């Protein structure tokens, strides 16, 4: 098991593993109720949206996947050119955050630019990358989006925790699909 999270209603737990499999476990019976395999490698990260009806997973297969947490189907796949170690969903915009970088054992011989240690921002619905935030000199392993959506923190194997506050340009960036009605176009 690489990650675990409580599902809505707190009667089931979702786990992930090294093979890219997610399992839903019933706590009362101890049974596995469902197995889903959409990633081809280890799932390194998962994060809920604030309403807990969307889940995003990040994997060593260089993808992040947005899940409908009721039907358990993938709504969108965000592809990168690096292993994804950390993911998050904005509480105020239709944006997802994806971070990672090359394997730690190769970091000492690689510059930060080549190692791809930045956080990428994607539009949740369009799937287009629209921003990159740099700052680390090692693979990013964790992200925490501020509950009010004003910024995020990132932690990496370089030993630093970075606090990123969004400037006014981020809040004025707008797309015609920056509301929840856009989610109907995902399926």
């Amino acid at each position: 098991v690489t990650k675990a999270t409580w599902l809505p209603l707190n009667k089931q737990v979702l786990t992930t593993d090294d093979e890219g499999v997610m399992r839903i476990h019933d706590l009362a019976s101890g049974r596995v109720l469902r197995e889903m395999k959409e990633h081809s490698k280890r799932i390194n990260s998962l994060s809920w949206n604030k309403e807990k009806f969307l889940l995003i997973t990040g994997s060593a297969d260089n993808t992040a996947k947005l899940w409908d947490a009721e039907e358990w189907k993938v709504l969108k796949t965000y592809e990168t050119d690096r292993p994804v170690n950390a993911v998050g969903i904005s509480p105020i915009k239709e944006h997802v955050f994806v971070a990672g970088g090359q394997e730690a054992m190769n970091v000492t011989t690689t510059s930060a630019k080549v190692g791809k240690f930045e956080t990428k921002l994607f539009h949740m619905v369009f799937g287009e990358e629209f921003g990159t935030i740099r700052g680390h000199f090692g693979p990013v392993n964790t992200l925490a989006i501020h509950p009010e959506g004003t910024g995020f923190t990132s932690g990496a194997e370089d030993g630093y925790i970075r606090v990123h506050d969004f400037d006014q340009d981020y809040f004025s960036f707008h797309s015609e699909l920056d509301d929840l009605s856009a989610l109907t176009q995902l399926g």
Side-chain angles (χ1 to χ4, degrees), residues 81-127:
D81 57 354
R82 77 228 33 211
V84 177
N85 299 337
V87 291
I89 300 174
S90 170
I92 62 169
K93 291 193 167 266
E94 305 311 311
H95 299 163
V96 297
F97 297 72
V98 176
Q102 73 177 40
E103 295 294 327
M105 65 184 160
N106 300 325
V107 171
T108 57
T109 60
T110 304
S111 73
K113 186 175 182 180
V114 175
K116 304 172 183 170
F117 308 134
E118 60 268 339
T119 300
K120 295 182 167 290
L121 281 69
F122 290 86
H123 192 282
M124 184 186 296
V125 176
F126 295 141

Side-chain angles (χ1 to χ4, degrees), residues 31-98:
R31 291 185 17 242
V32 173
L33 301 177
R34 187 165 185 178
E35 248 185 40
M36 299 144 299
K37 182 167 174 58
E38 292 290 334
H39 287 289
S40 61
K41 293 183 179 176
R42 175 187 173 98
I43 297 174
N44 295 319
S45 182
L46 50 84
S47 183
W48 291 98
N49 72 330
K50 70 179 179 178
E51 296 87 3
K52 243 181 162 175
F53 65 83
L54 296 173
L55 179 80
I56 189 167
T57 55
S59 171
D61 67 5
N62 298 358
T63 67
K65 295 185 183 285
L66 185 69
W67 295 81
D68 172 329
E70 186 175 336
E71 299 294 323
W72 291 108
K73 68 178 184 173
V74 174
L75 299 174
K76 194 63 130 180
T77 298
Y78 310 95
E79 295 184 12
T80 69
D81 57 354
R82 77 228 33 211
V84 177
N85 299 337
V87 291
I89 300 174
S90 170
I92 62 169
K93 291 193 167 266
E94 305 311 311
H95 299 163
V96 297
F97 297 72
V98 176

Side-chain angles (χ1 to χ4, degrees), residues 160-175:
Y160 291 99
I161 297 172
R162 303 230 182 253
V163 178
H164 309 271
D165 292 315
F166 294 128
D167 59 24
Q168 192 54 44
D169 288 344
Y170 176 78
F171 299 105
S172 54
F173 174 77
H174 182 74
S175 161

